[in-house]
Amino acid sequence: MKQALLINPNSSRETTVMMVEIARANSPNDLRVIGATAKHAPPMIVTLEQLTGAAAEVVEIGSREASKVSGIVIGGFGDPGLQALRNEVSIPVVGLSEASMLEAAAGGRRFGVATVTPDLAASIEGHVRDLDLLHLYTGIRLTQGNPLALAADPTRLEESLGKAVAECFEIDHADAVIIGGGPLGQAAIALARLFARPIIAPIPAAIRRLVRLMRDCSSV
């Protein structure tokens, strides 16, 4: 059985367990997902400085563990260290942001992002630009209040994100909406059941992309 490593760039072990559970639930039977948790980052990355600072440890973990796995998922929506880690290892590496944006935009769909971190809004748009998807991007809708307090209250989190998702669809006319955050993984799964239009949960999207890339590598 092949193994994939999900690196949590946040330092919350609870978040790692949650993300790994979601990843395993969306993986094929021949793939086992294991997790690794950053030690030097905050429990939840909410600023650009924290996101930038997380990259080095993500690369360190990924480089150390790459020989034991067949693929790596960086479990933060800012994709910290994504390109640097790809340059260091010979196995597929995917990020939540890149994978979910590519999936959301498939077939020319217009897409938006609903999330809790206003200080990362510009960075998220930067990822859209880097993927040459600005022509399909309808923008970002943010929840109100402290993102850490909101993330600690699952009921409020789901309700607040639900309002942001509705705004993406009803005001911005998105065809699909990404829930922007690894720690928002459970809320993303729940919201996908509540809306008739596509909600892109980033962890399942990353697993789907990783599996495709791993299969492509196997067929070469």
Side-chain angles (χ1 to χ4, degrees), residues 6-20 35-59 61 73-81 96-97 115-117 120 147-148 151 180-185 202-203:
L6 188 152
I7 303 173
N8 179 10
N10 309 278
S11 61
S12 168
R13 293 184 180 275
E14 290 182 359
T15 299
T16 304
V17 170
M18 177 269 291
M19 291 197 292
V20 168
T37 308
K39 296 179 180 178
H40 307 301
M44 181 176 172
I45 293 169
V46 297
T47 70
L48 182 58
E49 182 180 7
Q50 292 169 349
L51 179 65
T52 303
E57 189 172 12
V58 167
V59 174
I61 294 170
V73 173
I74 298 175
F77 196 70
D79 295 350
L96 300 190
S97 180
T115 191
V116 301
T117 48
L120 295 177
L148 296 174
L184 311 182
I203 299 167

Side-chain angles (χ1 to χ4, degrees), residues 99-163:
S100 56
M101 288 179 183
L102 291 173
E103 183 168 306
R109 289 190 300 197
R110 287 164 51 81
F111 70 94
V113 175
T115 191
V116 301
T117 48
D119 290 344
L120 295 177
S123 175
I124 290 169
E125 184 168 320
H127 284 285
V128 179
R129 185 180 298 108
D130 291 343
L131 293 169
D132 197 23
L133 295 174
L134 276 176
H135 62 294
L136 298 175
Y137 184 54
T138 63
I140 190 167
R141 290 285 172 172
L142 296 159
T143 56
Q144 300 297 311
N146 184 296
L148 296 174
L150 197 57
D153 186 337
T155 300
R156 279 186 58 219
L157 176 62
E158 187 177 324
E159 290 175 353
S160 298
L161 280 171
K163 292 177 182 177

